[in-house]
Amino acid sequence: MAKERRRAVLELLQRPGNARCADCGAPDPDWASYTLGVFICLSCSGIHRNIPQISKVKSVRLDAWDEAQVEFMASHGNEAARATFESKVPSFYYRPTFSDCQLLREQWIRAKYERQEFIIPEKQEPYSAGYREGFLWKRGRDNGQFLSRKFVLTEREGALKYFNRNDAKEPKAVMKIEHLNATFQPAKIGHPHGLQVTYLKDNSTRNIFIYHEDGKEIVDWFNALRAARFHYLQVAFPGASDADLVPKLSRNYLKEGYMEKTGPKQTEGFRKRWFTMDDRRLMYFKDPLDAFARGEVFIGSKESGYTVLEGLPPSTQGHHWPHGITIVTPDRKFLFTCETELDRREWVEAFQKVVDRPMLPQEYAVEAHFKHKP
């Protein structure tokens, strides 16, 4: 009997919607919450275990199932759960995937089942109200210390601001929602709730690094920033559908890591730098947590004369790392080296993706503005 019940549960995995984790979309889930009636992956099952008052989990393949549990799973399943627990997810709300950090997945699962934010819209107030203020730990630009700073997000002004002192009348910085991006960077920042916020200042990229001890709080900030960007874009592009706008709300970097680079004359030695590929901007920093990039390279499309080549020109000297990459632009060549062949392959792939993508009209304007920095 036990074998038959387990086989019955395994058969339920063949139903539409059950072949991927109900929470992060990972393929081939082999765990289940037998109190919620959903099939989930191993990673999400660990998060479900932390909310035992809501969710109790079992292995589909290894644990014993009783008749009532099998029937419950059969009468529920991932699609039914989605119809209930995700019935009112705002368009701008970030739905994490299995490649996202633990924090985003955990808060998504808690928001769905524990707090029921997508059944009761009033619970979405913290990120949908268009205004938010609070204290976040912010890394100092020069000393690298994290200090508590007051942040204010106001959709009406289209800005995120922070203040150096609680009684300060004027903000230390005003970041326009129009040019703002936020992405979780726990490993880089050294905190599981670390968020990197990037904005443009005089057409240069400025980074700030923040976190909050409370996971819900920082994810609410992240979704509030996405909501503000969503409403800004709805006004800026009145004919666009939600599906067009949602990918523009925030973006993860295409690739980050160390390479060596040389200057425009290609006679000075190569220096090790931290590189971030953000859409068409390749930025380089002395340190991964620097506030400003040392320089930025715009990478256009092949139609506009941009090419990515493996290797370096034969006469190149002064590099320590053996695996070279040359980026040819209409103005000049940029030379980089990677420590390993795998690094080079990943960077070339990231560059190639950008070069293969035709440029949008507004990207020509960015290219024109772009100041190539040596």
Side-chain angles (χ1 to χ4, degrees):
M1 282 298 285
K3 266 188 180 172
E4 280 173 25
R5 287 196 292 268
R6 197 176 295 141
R7 191 180 304 125
V9 176
L10 279 167
E11 279 172 11
L12 293 174
L13 281 173
Q14 309 309 311
R15 284 193 186 171
N18 289 349
R20 287 187 169 270
C21 172
D23 297 323
C24 74
D28 307 318
D30 48 12
W31 289 77
S33 166
Y34 60 89
T35 51
L36 293 168
V38 291
F39 292 94
I40 51 180
C41 68
L42 173 64
S43 182
C44 288
S45 77
I47 298 169
H48 279 253
R49 279 182 205 281
N50 291 335
I51 41 173
Q53 68 284 16
I54 304 286
S55 183
K56 294 199 169 16
V57 299
K58 275 189 173 189
S59 165
V60 169
R61 295 167 201 285
L62 304 174
D63 289 329
W65 288 78
D66 66 37
E67 200 61 50
Q69 289 165 348
V70 176
E71 282 175 17
F72 185 79
M73 293 304 297
S75 63
H76 288 74
N78 292 5
E79 287 193 340
R82 210 164 278 135
T84 301
F85 293 105
E86 297 181 25
S87 62
K88 296 184 170 70
V89 182
S91 299
F92 59 77
Y93 195 97
Y94 187 80
R95 295 168 175 263
T97 69
F98 52 91
S99 57
D100 279 304
C101 64
Q102 171 83 3
L103 173 71
L104 276 169
R105 288 181 293 115
E106 181 189 353
Q107 288 304 319
W108 167 239
I109 288 168
R110 287 184 180 275
K112 279 206 290 186
Y113 307 117
E114 186 182 40
R115 301 192 291 266
Q116 300 198 342
E117 287 175 21
F118 313 126
I119 297 175
I120 307 159
E122 298 80 75
K123 295 193 172 185
Q124 299 169 14
E125 191 72 10
Y127 44 82
S128 64
Y131 182 87
R132 185 178 173 87
E133 64 174 75
F135 286 86
L136 297 168
W137 293 95
K138 178 192 166 291
R139 189 177 190 274
R141 191 183 81 183
D142 302 319
N143 60 11
Q145 264 184 313
F146 279 89
L147 297 165
S148 179
R149 294 286 180 254
K150 181 182 171 184
F151 280 76
V152 175
L153 171 67
T154 156
E155 236 176 64
R156 195 170 48 82
E157 293 174 35
L160 173 67
K161 304 185 268 196
Y162 77 87
F163 298 81
N164 261 4
R165 292 191 323 279
N166 297 354
D167 57 353
K169 296 280 181 283
E170 291 301 314
K172 179 78 171 95
V174 177
M175 303 163 240
K176 287 285 181 204
I177 290 298
E178 179 186 354
H179 299 304
L180 188 137
N181 184 45
T183 177
F184 277 97
Q185 295 274 29
K188 189 159 129 183
I189 293 171
H191 192 284
H193 305 165
L195 187 69
Q196 178 173 348
V197 175
T198 303
Y199 63 102
L200 286 183
K201 188 177 178 184
D202 307 325
N203 208 41
S204 284
T205 304
R206 164 87 158 96
N207 296 319
I208 63 166
F209 302 95
I210 53 179
Y211 69 84
H212 195 284
E213 292 296 354
D214 183 294
K216 176 185 185 299
E217 190 77 11
I218 195 73
V219 173
D220 283 351
W221 270 102
F222 175 63
N223 280 303
L225 290 170
R226 283 175 58 90
R229 289 222 2 112
F230 185 59
H231 296 134
Y232 160 76
L233 290 169
Q234 280 181 317
V235 174
F237 304 99
S241 68
D242 289 5
D244 291 333
L245 300 181
V246 167
K248 296 183 170 71
L249 301 186
S250 63
R251 58 191 183 275
N252 295 328
Y253 299 133
L254 300 179
K255 172 119 181 86
E256 286 197 289
Y258 284 106
M259 291 193 288
E260 291 183 331
K261 70 168 287 295
T262 184
K265 296 192 182 69
Q266 293 158 11
T267 50
E268 55 268 64
F270 279 68
R271 290 200 176 97
K272 182 179 167 185
R273 294 287 181 253
W274 176 266
F275 284 82
T276 297
M277 186 75 214
D278 181 12
D279 203 28
R280 290 195 184 275
R281 287 175 183 257
L282 177 65
M283 298 170 277
Y284 51 93
F285 305 84
K286 196 167 182 185
D287 182 272
L289 296 175
D290 281 350
F292 288 100
R294 285 296 175 99
E296 304 188 35
V297 180
F298 181 86
I299 300 184
S301 65
K302 56 190 175 196
E303 291 88 352
S304 305
Y306 291 81
T307 323
V308 184
L309 306 169
E310 285 198 8
L312 301 171
S315 57
T316 312
Q317 293 177 332
H319 52 96
H320 309 101
W321 288 349
H323 305 281
I325 300 174
T326 302
I327 294 185
V328 182
T329 77
D331 301 331
R332 60 174 267 206
K333 289 178 179 171
F334 290 89
L335 310 184
F336 308 106
T337 58
C338 302
E339 193 171 12
T340 68
E341 178 54 38
L342 176 64
D343 277 350
R344 170 164 68 182
R345 239 191 351 261
E346 288 177 353
W347 275 110
V348 167
E349 200 177 304
F351 294 147
Q352 199 61 54
K353 264 186 199 154
V354 174
V355 167
D356 287 345
R357 202 175 71 220
M359 271 163 62
L360 302 168
Q362 58 268 36
E363 290 174 333
Y364 286 102
V366 176
E367 183 187 36
H369 273 290
F370 221 89
K371 307 173 183 74
H372 283 308
K373 299 183 182 111

PDB file of all heavy atoms in Angstrom, residues 255 259 274-285 293 295-299 327 334 336 347 351 370:
ATOM      1  N   LYS A 255      26.985  40.261 -15.941  1.00  0.00           N
ATOM      2  CA  LYS A 255      28.171  39.549 -15.455  1.00  0.00           C
ATOM      3  C   LYS A 255      28.996  40.504 -14.603  1.00  0.00           C
ATOM      4  O   LYS A 255      29.035  41.698 -14.860  1.00  0.00           O
ATOM      5  CB  LYS A 255      28.998  39.064 -16.661  1.00  0.00           C
ATOM      6  CG  LYS A 255      30.354  38.481 -16.311  1.00  0.00           C
ATOM      7  CD  LYS A 255      30.508  37.043 -16.727  1.00  0.00           C
ATOM      8  CE  LYS A 255      31.865  36.491 -16.331  1.00  0.00           C
ATOM      9  NZ  LYS A 255      31.959  35.952 -14.975  1.00  0.00           N
ATOM     10  N   MET A 259      38.880  41.377 -14.125  1.00  0.00           N
ATOM     11  CA  MET A 259      39.703  41.227 -15.327  1.00  0.00           C
ATOM     12  C   MET A 259      40.853  42.219 -15.180  1.00  0.00           C
ATOM     13  O   MET A 259      40.845  43.060 -14.286  1.00  0.00           O
ATOM     14  CB  MET A 259      38.903  41.563 -16.608  1.00  0.00           C
ATOM     15  CG  MET A 259      37.810  40.583 -16.966  1.00  0.00           C
ATOM     16  SD  MET A 259      37.166  40.820 -18.669  1.00  0.00           S
ATOM     17  CE  MET A 259      36.230  42.343 -18.522  1.00  0.00           C
ATOM     18  N   TRP A 274      37.716  45.438 -10.991  1.00  0.00           N
ATOM     19  CA  TRP A 274      36.423  44.750 -10.860  1.00  0.00           C
ATOM     20  C   TRP A 274      35.489  45.295 -11.942  1.00  0.00           C
ATOM     21  O   TRP A 274      35.289  46.509 -12.036  1.00  0.00           O
ATOM     22  CB  TRP A 274      35.813  45.002  -9.486  1.00  0.00           C
ATOM     23  CG  TRP A 274      34.448  44.398  -9.324  1.00  0.00           C
ATOM     24  CD1 TRP A 274      33.238  45.013  -9.524  1.00  0.00           C
ATOM     25  CD2 TRP A 274      34.138  43.046  -8.935  1.00  0.00           C
ATOM     26  NE1 TRP A 274      32.210  44.135  -9.274  1.00  0.00           N
ATOM     27  CE2 TRP A 274      32.725  42.921  -8.919  1.00  0.00           C
ATOM     28  CE3 TRP A 274      34.916  41.936  -8.605  1.00  0.00           C
ATOM     29  CZ2 TRP A 274      32.085  41.724  -8.576  1.00  0.00           C
ATOM     30  CZ3 TRP A 274      34.281  40.751  -8.272  1.00  0.00           C
ATOM     31  CH2 TRP A 274      32.887  40.654  -8.256  1.00  0.00           C
ATOM     32  N   PHE A 275      34.949  44.416 -12.765  1.00  0.00           N
ATOM     33  CA  PHE A 275      34.096  44.835 -13.878  1.00  0.00           C
ATOM     34  C   PHE A 275      32.642  44.450 -13.636  1.00  0.00           C
ATOM     35  O   PHE A 275      32.358  43.368 -13.114  1.00  0.00           O
ATOM     36  CB  PHE A 275      34.566  44.180 -15.188  1.00  0.00           C
ATOM     37  CG  PHE A 275      35.800  44.811 -15.753  1.00  0.00           C
ATOM     38  CD1 PHE A 275      37.060  44.455 -15.279  1.00  0.00           C
ATOM     39  CD2 PHE A 275      35.705  45.777 -16.758  1.00  0.00           C
ATOM     40  CE1 PHE A 275      38.200  45.042 -15.795  1.00  0.00           C
ATOM     41  CE2 PHE A 275      36.842  46.368 -17.282  1.00  0.00           C
ATOM     42  CZ  PHE A 275      38.092  46.005 -16.808  1.00  0.00           C
ATOM     43  N   THR A 276      31.750  45.335 -14.033  1.00  0.00           N
ATOM     44  CA  THR A 276      30.309  45.081 -13.954  1.00  0.00           C
ATOM     45  C   THR A 276      29.704  45.370 -15.315  1.00  0.00           C
ATOM     46  O   THR A 276      29.867  46.467 -15.854  1.00  0.00           O
ATOM     47  CB  THR A 276      29.643  46.007 -12.905  1.00  0.00           C
ATOM     48  OG1 THR A 276      30.194  45.699 -11.620  1.00  0.00           O
ATOM     49  CG2 THR A 276      28.140  45.810 -12.864  1.00  0.00           C
ATOM     50  N   MET A 277      29.021  44.373 -15.877  1.00  0.00           N
ATOM     51  CA  MET A 277      28.331  44.557 -17.161  1.00  0.00           C
ATOM     52  C   MET A 277      26.864  44.838 -16.861  1.00  0.00           C
ATOM     53  O   MET A 277      26.115  43.943 -16.471  1.00  0.00           O
ATOM     54  CB  MET A 277      28.481  43.270 -17.982  1.00  0.00           C
ATOM     55  CG  MET A 277      27.947  43.378 -19.387  1.00  0.00           C
ATOM     56  SD  MET A 277      29.044  44.317 -20.446  1.00  0.00           S
ATOM     57  CE  MET A 277      27.871  45.104 -21.513  1.00  0.00           C
ATOM     58  N   ASP A 278      26.468  46.092 -16.980  1.00  0.00           N
ATOM     59  CA  ASP A 278      25.100  46.508 -16.683  1.00  0.00           C
ATOM     60  C   ASP A 278      24.449  46.952 -17.989  1.00  0.00           C
ATOM     61  O   ASP A 278      24.669  48.066 -18.457  1.00  0.00           O
ATOM     62  CB  ASP A 278      25.108  47.654 -15.668  1.00  0.00           C
ATOM     63  CG  ASP A 278      23.696  48.105 -15.302  1.00  0.00           C
ATOM     64  OD1 ASP A 278      22.739  47.389 -15.650  1.00  0.00           O
ATOM     65  OD2 ASP A 278      23.551  49.166 -14.667  1.00  0.00           O
ATOM     66  N   ASP A 279      23.675  46.053 -18.572  1.00  0.00           N
ATOM     67  CA  ASP A 279      23.057  46.318 -19.859  1.00  0.00           C
ATOM     68  C   ASP A 279      24.172  46.635 -20.869  1.00  0.00           C
ATOM     69  O   ASP A 279      25.013  45.797 -21.119  1.00  0.00           O
ATOM     70  CB  ASP A 279      22.018  47.431 -19.744  1.00  0.00           C
ATOM     71  CG  ASP A 279      20.994  47.351 -20.875  1.00  0.00           C
ATOM     72  OD1 ASP A 279      20.761  46.244 -21.381  1.00  0.00           O
ATOM     73  OD2 ASP A 279      20.445  48.393 -21.258  1.00  0.00           O
ATOM     74  N   ARG A 280      24.207  47.857 -21.430  1.00  0.00           N
ATOM     75  CA  ARG A 280      25.280  48.177 -22.395  1.00  0.00           C
ATOM     76  C   ARG A 280      26.455  48.916 -21.768  1.00  0.00           C
ATOM     77  O   ARG A 280      27.382  49.317 -22.467  1.00  0.00           O
ATOM     78  CB  ARG A 280      24.702  48.997 -23.562  1.00  0.00           C
ATOM     79  CG  ARG A 280      23.788  48.180 -24.466  1.00  0.00           C
ATOM     80  CD  ARG A 280      23.526  48.885 -25.776  1.00  0.00           C
ATOM     81  NE  ARG A 280      22.593  48.165 -26.618  1.00  0.00           N
ATOM     82  CZ  ARG A 280      22.932  47.169 -27.449  1.00  0.00           C
ATOM     83  NH1 ARG A 280      24.182  46.777 -27.541  1.00  0.00           N
ATOM     84  NH2 ARG A 280      22.010  46.572 -28.175  1.00  0.00           N
ATOM     85  N   ARG A 281      26.423  49.119 -20.480  1.00  0.00           N
ATOM     86  CA  ARG A 281      27.527  49.814 -19.810  1.00  0.00           C
ATOM     87  C   ARG A 281      28.464  48.791 -19.176  1.00  0.00           C
ATOM     88  O   ARG A 281      28.053  48.030 -18.304  1.00  0.00           O
ATOM     89  CB  ARG A 281      27.000  50.724 -18.692  1.00  0.00           C
ATOM     90  CG  ARG A 281      26.315  51.977 -19.186  1.00  0.00           C
ATOM     91  CD  ARG A 281      25.706  52.754 -18.018  1.00  0.00           C
ATOM     92  NE  ARG A 281      24.996  53.911 -18.504  1.00  0.00           N
ATOM     93  CZ  ARG A 281      25.444  55.164 -18.445  1.00  0.00           C
ATOM     94  NH1 ARG A 281      26.619  55.408 -17.920  1.00  0.00           N
ATOM     95  NH2 ARG A 281      24.734  56.165 -18.916  1.00  0.00           N
ATOM     96  N   LEU A 282      29.706  48.796 -19.591  1.00  0.00           N
ATOM     97  CA  LEU A 282      30.732  47.996 -18.927  1.00  0.00           C
ATOM     98  C   LEU A 282      31.513  48.959 -18.036  1.00  0.00           C
ATOM     99  O   LEU A 282      32.193  49.861 -18.522  1.00  0.00           O
ATOM    100  CB  LEU A 282      31.667  47.341 -19.951  1.00  0.00           C
ATOM    101  CG  LEU A 282      32.830  46.546 -19.339  1.00  0.00           C
ATOM    102  CD1 LEU A 282      32.336  45.335 -18.566  1.00  0.00           C
ATOM    103  CD2 LEU A 282      33.821  46.110 -20.419  1.00  0.00           C
ATOM    104  N   MET A 283      31.367  48.780 -16.717  1.00  0.00           N
ATOM    105  CA  MET A 283      32.012  49.688 -15.770  1.00  0.00           C
ATOM    106  C   MET A 283      33.156  48.974 -15.087  1.00  0.00           C
ATOM    107  O   MET A 283      33.099  47.762 -14.890  1.00  0.00           O
ATOM    108  CB  MET A 283      31.004  50.128 -14.710  1.00  0.00           C
ATOM    109  CG  MET A 283      29.838  50.887 -15.297  1.00  0.00           C
ATOM    110  SD  MET A 283      28.537  51.137 -14.080  1.00  0.00           S
ATOM    111  CE  MET A 283      27.676  49.590 -14.186  1.00  0.00           C
ATOM    112  N   TYR A 284      34.192  49.725 -14.729  1.00  0.00           N
ATOM    113  CA  TYR A 284      35.257  49.087 -13.963  1.00  0.00           C
ATOM    114  C   TYR A 284      35.606  49.920 -12.731  1.00  0.00           C
ATOM    115  O   TYR A 284      35.531  51.145 -12.723  1.00  0.00           O
ATOM    116  CB  TYR A 284      36.492  48.789 -14.821  1.00  0.00           C
ATOM    117  CG  TYR A 284      37.043  49.922 -15.633  1.00  0.00           C
ATOM    118  CD1 TYR A 284      38.055  50.735 -15.139  1.00  0.00           C
ATOM    119  CD2 TYR A 284      36.561  50.177 -16.919  1.00  0.00           C
ATOM    120  CE1 TYR A 284      38.582  51.768 -15.896  1.00  0.00           C
ATOM    121  CE2 TYR A 284      37.077  51.206 -17.692  1.00  0.00           C
ATOM    122  CZ  TYR A 284      38.086  51.999 -17.171  1.00  0.00           C
ATOM    123  OH  TYR A 284      38.598  53.030 -17.924  1.00  0.00           O
ATOM    124  N   PHE A 285      35.941  49.185 -11.674  1.00  0.00           N
ATOM    125  CA  PHE A 285      36.163  49.748 -10.347  1.00  0.00           C
ATOM    126  C   PHE A 285      37.466  49.202  -9.782  1.00  0.00           C
ATOM    127  O   PHE A 285      37.859  48.078 -10.097  1.00  0.00           O
ATOM    128  CB  PHE A 285      35.029  49.317  -9.391  1.00  0.00           C
ATOM    129  CG  PHE A 285      33.641  49.657  -9.875  1.00  0.00           C
ATOM    130  CD1 PHE A 285      32.964  48.817 -10.757  1.00  0.00           C
ATOM    131  CD2 PHE A 285      33.003  50.806  -9.442  1.00  0.00           C
ATOM    132  CE1 PHE A 285      31.683  49.124 -11.204  1.00  0.00           C
ATOM    133  CE2 PHE A 285      31.722  51.119  -9.880  1.00  0.00           C
ATOM    134  CZ  PHE A 285      31.057  50.284 -10.767  1.00  0.00           C
ATOM    135  N   ALA A 293      32.513  54.369 -10.650  1.00  0.00           N
ATOM    136  CA  ALA A 293      33.350  53.595 -11.574  1.00  0.00           C
ATOM    137  C   ALA A 293      34.575  54.429 -11.941  1.00  0.00           C
ATOM    138  O   ALA A 293      34.498  55.650 -12.051  1.00  0.00           O
ATOM    139  CB  ALA A 293      32.551  53.254 -12.825  1.00  0.00           C
ATOM    140  N   GLY A 295      35.893  54.056 -14.787  1.00  0.00           N
ATOM    141  CA  GLY A 295      35.606  54.334 -16.192  1.00  0.00           C
ATOM    142  C   GLY A 295      34.469  53.455 -16.662  1.00  0.00           C
ATOM    143  O   GLY A 295      34.078  52.493 -15.989  1.00  0.00           O
ATOM    144  N   GLU A 296      33.907  53.817 -17.802  1.00  0.00           N
ATOM    145  CA  GLU A 296      32.801  53.051 -18.375  1.00  0.00           C
ATOM    146  C   GLU A 296      33.016  52.947 -19.879  1.00  0.00           C
ATOM    147  O   GLU A 296      33.500  53.873 -20.507  1.00  0.00           O
ATOM    148  CB  GLU A 296      31.460  53.759 -18.115  1.00  0.00           C
ATOM    149  CG  GLU A 296      31.183  54.033 -16.651  1.00  0.00           C
ATOM    150  CD  GLU A 296      29.773  54.560 -16.407  1.00  0.00           C
ATOM    151  OE1 GLU A 296      28.851  54.128 -17.124  1.00  0.00           O
ATOM    152  OE2 GLU A 296      29.604  55.395 -15.505  1.00  0.00           O
ATOM    153  N   VAL A 297      32.659  51.804 -20.403  1.00  0.00           N
ATOM    154  CA  VAL A 297      32.760  51.569 -21.847  1.00  0.00           C
ATOM    155  C   VAL A 297      31.355  51.269 -22.342  1.00  0.00           C
ATOM    156  O   VAL A 297      30.670  50.422 -21.759  1.00  0.00           O
ATOM    157  CB  VAL A 297      33.685  50.359 -22.146  1.00  0.00           C
ATOM    158  CG1 VAL A 297      33.788  50.129 -23.650  1.00  0.00           C
ATOM    159  CG2 VAL A 297      35.068  50.560 -21.522  1.00  0.00           C
ATOM    160  N   PHE A 298      30.928  51.962 -23.366  1.00  0.00           N
ATOM    161  CA  PHE A 298      29.613  51.663 -23.957  1.00  0.00           C
ATOM    162  C   PHE A 298      29.801  50.557 -24.986  1.00  0.00           C
ATOM    163  O   PHE A 298      30.702  50.621 -25.821  1.00  0.00           O
ATOM    164  CB  PHE A 298      29.034  52.917 -24.625  1.00  0.00           C
ATOM    165  CG  PHE A 298      27.680  52.681 -25.236  1.00  0.00           C
ATOM    166  CD1 PHE A 298      26.530  52.800 -24.470  1.00  0.00           C
ATOM    167  CD2 PHE A 298      27.548  52.319 -26.576  1.00  0.00           C
ATOM    168  CE1 PHE A 298      25.273  52.569 -25.024  1.00  0.00           C
ATOM    169  CE2 PHE A 298      26.294  52.087 -27.134  1.00  0.00           C
ATOM    170  CZ  PHE A 298      25.154  52.217 -26.359  1.00  0.00           C
ATOM    171  N   ILE A 299      28.955  49.535 -24.907  1.00  0.00           N
ATOM    172  CA  ILE A 299      29.048  48.434 -25.874  1.00  0.00           C
ATOM    173  C   ILE A 299      27.773  48.416 -26.719  1.00  0.00           C
ATOM    174  O   ILE A 299      26.695  48.081 -26.231  1.00  0.00           O
ATOM    175  CB  ILE A 299      29.290  47.084 -25.171  1.00  0.00           C
ATOM    176  CG1 ILE A 299      30.603  47.175 -24.381  1.00  0.00           C
ATOM    177  CG2 ILE A 299      29.350  45.953 -26.190  1.00  0.00           C
ATOM    178  CD1 ILE A 299      31.044  45.919 -23.715  1.00  0.00           C
ATOM    179  N   ILE A 327      37.721  44.143 -27.410  1.00  0.00           N
ATOM    180  CA  ILE A 327      36.427  44.703 -27.840  1.00  0.00           C
ATOM    181  C   ILE A 327      36.731  45.848 -28.805  1.00  0.00           C
ATOM    182  O   ILE A 327      37.426  46.804 -28.449  1.00  0.00           O
ATOM    183  CB  ILE A 327      35.587  45.197 -26.648  1.00  0.00           C
ATOM    184  CG1 ILE A 327      35.176  43.999 -25.786  1.00  0.00           C
ATOM    185  CG2 ILE A 327      34.347  45.946 -27.127  1.00  0.00           C
ATOM    186  CD1 ILE A 327      34.257  44.321 -24.641  1.00  0.00           C
ATOM    187  N   PHE A 334      39.451  48.046 -26.957  1.00  0.00           N
ATOM    188  CA  PHE A 334      39.653  47.867 -25.515  1.00  0.00           C
ATOM    189  C   PHE A 334      40.216  46.466 -25.296  1.00  0.00           C
ATOM    190  O   PHE A 334      39.683  45.489 -25.825  1.00  0.00           O
ATOM    191  CB  PHE A 334      38.324  48.013 -24.763  1.00  0.00           C
ATOM    192  CG  PHE A 334      37.799  49.420 -24.759  1.00  0.00           C
ATOM    193  CD1 PHE A 334      36.971  49.873 -25.778  1.00  0.00           C
ATOM    194  CD2 PHE A 334      38.131  50.304 -23.740  1.00  0.00           C
ATOM    195  CE1 PHE A 334      36.485  51.175 -25.790  1.00  0.00           C
ATOM    196  CE2 PHE A 334      37.646  51.609 -23.734  1.00  0.00           C
ATOM    197  CZ  PHE A 334      36.822  52.049 -24.761  1.00  0.00           C
ATOM    198  N   PHE A 336      41.362  43.412 -22.637  1.00  0.00           N
ATOM    199  CA  PHE A 336      41.165  42.864 -21.297  1.00  0.00           C
ATOM    200  C   PHE A 336      41.821  41.484 -21.232  1.00  0.00           C
ATOM    201  O   PHE A 336      41.958  40.805 -22.251  1.00  0.00           O
ATOM    202  CB  PHE A 336      39.672  42.698 -20.984  1.00  0.00           C
ATOM    203  CG  PHE A 336      38.865  43.941 -21.213  1.00  0.00           C
ATOM    204  CD1 PHE A 336      38.013  44.043 -22.311  1.00  0.00           C
ATOM    205  CD2 PHE A 336      38.956  45.014 -20.348  1.00  0.00           C
ATOM    206  CE1 PHE A 336      37.270  45.200 -22.533  1.00  0.00           C
ATOM    207  CE2 PHE A 336      38.214  46.174 -20.563  1.00  0.00           C
ATOM    208  CZ  PHE A 336      37.378  46.265 -21.656  1.00  0.00           C
ATOM    209  N   TRP A 347      32.785  35.838 -20.069  1.00  0.00           N
ATOM    210  CA  TRP A 347      32.779  37.256 -20.436  1.00  0.00           C
ATOM    211  C   TRP A 347      32.460  37.426 -21.928  1.00  0.00           C
ATOM    212  O   TRP A 347      31.650  38.273 -22.299  1.00  0.00           O
ATOM    213  CB  TRP A 347      34.125  37.911 -20.111  1.00  0.00           C
ATOM    214  CG  TRP A 347      34.233  38.389 -18.695  1.00  0.00           C
ATOM    215  CD1 TRP A 347      35.012  37.876 -17.711  1.00  0.00           C
ATOM    216  CD2 TRP A 347      33.513  39.486 -18.085  1.00  0.00           C
ATOM    217  NE1 TRP A 347      34.839  38.576 -16.534  1.00  0.00           N
ATOM    218  CE2 TRP A 347      33.932  39.574 -16.740  1.00  0.00           C
ATOM    219  CE3 TRP A 347      32.572  40.400 -18.552  1.00  0.00           C
ATOM    220  CZ2 TRP A 347      33.437  40.535 -15.848  1.00  0.00           C
ATOM    221  CZ3 TRP A 347      32.078  41.366 -17.672  1.00  0.00           C
ATOM    222  CH2 TRP A 347      32.496  41.429 -16.349  1.00  0.00           C
ATOM    223  N   PHE A 351      29.402  39.596 -23.467  1.00  0.00           N
ATOM    224  CA  PHE A 351      29.606  40.683 -24.433  1.00  0.00           C
ATOM    225  C   PHE A 351      28.876  40.386 -25.745  1.00  0.00           C
ATOM    226  O   PHE A 351      28.263  41.261 -26.337  1.00  0.00           O
ATOM    227  CB  PHE A 351      31.106  40.884 -24.724  1.00  0.00           C
ATOM    228  CG  PHE A 351      31.906  41.383 -23.553  1.00  0.00           C
ATOM    229  CD1 PHE A 351      33.232  40.991 -23.378  1.00  0.00           C
ATOM    230  CD2 PHE A 351      31.345  42.254 -22.631  1.00  0.00           C
ATOM    231  CE1 PHE A 351      33.979  41.453 -22.303  1.00  0.00           C
ATOM    232  CE2 PHE A 351      32.093  42.722 -21.546  1.00  0.00           C
ATOM    233  CZ  PHE A 351      33.406  42.316 -21.381  1.00  0.00           C
ATOM    234  N   PHE A 370      27.946  59.359 -24.310  1.00  0.00           N
ATOM    235  CA  PHE A 370      28.916  58.593 -23.535  1.00  0.00           C
ATOM    236  C   PHE A 370      30.306  59.189 -23.622  1.00  0.00           C
ATOM    237  O   PHE A 370      30.836  59.443 -24.678  1.00  0.00           O
ATOM    238  CB  PHE A 370      28.952  57.137 -24.041  1.00  0.00           C
ATOM    239  CG  PHE A 370      29.042  56.190 -22.903  1.00  0.00           C
ATOM    240  CD1 PHE A 370      27.904  55.706 -22.302  1.00  0.00           C
ATOM    241  CD2 PHE A 370      30.280  55.837 -22.410  1.00  0.00           C
ATOM    242  CE1 PHE A 370      27.984  54.855 -21.224  1.00  0.00           C
ATOM    243  CE2 PHE A 370      30.370  54.978 -21.328  1.00  0.00           C
ATOM    244  CZ  PHE A 370      29.227  54.486 -20.746  1.00  0.00           C
TER     245      PHE A 370
END
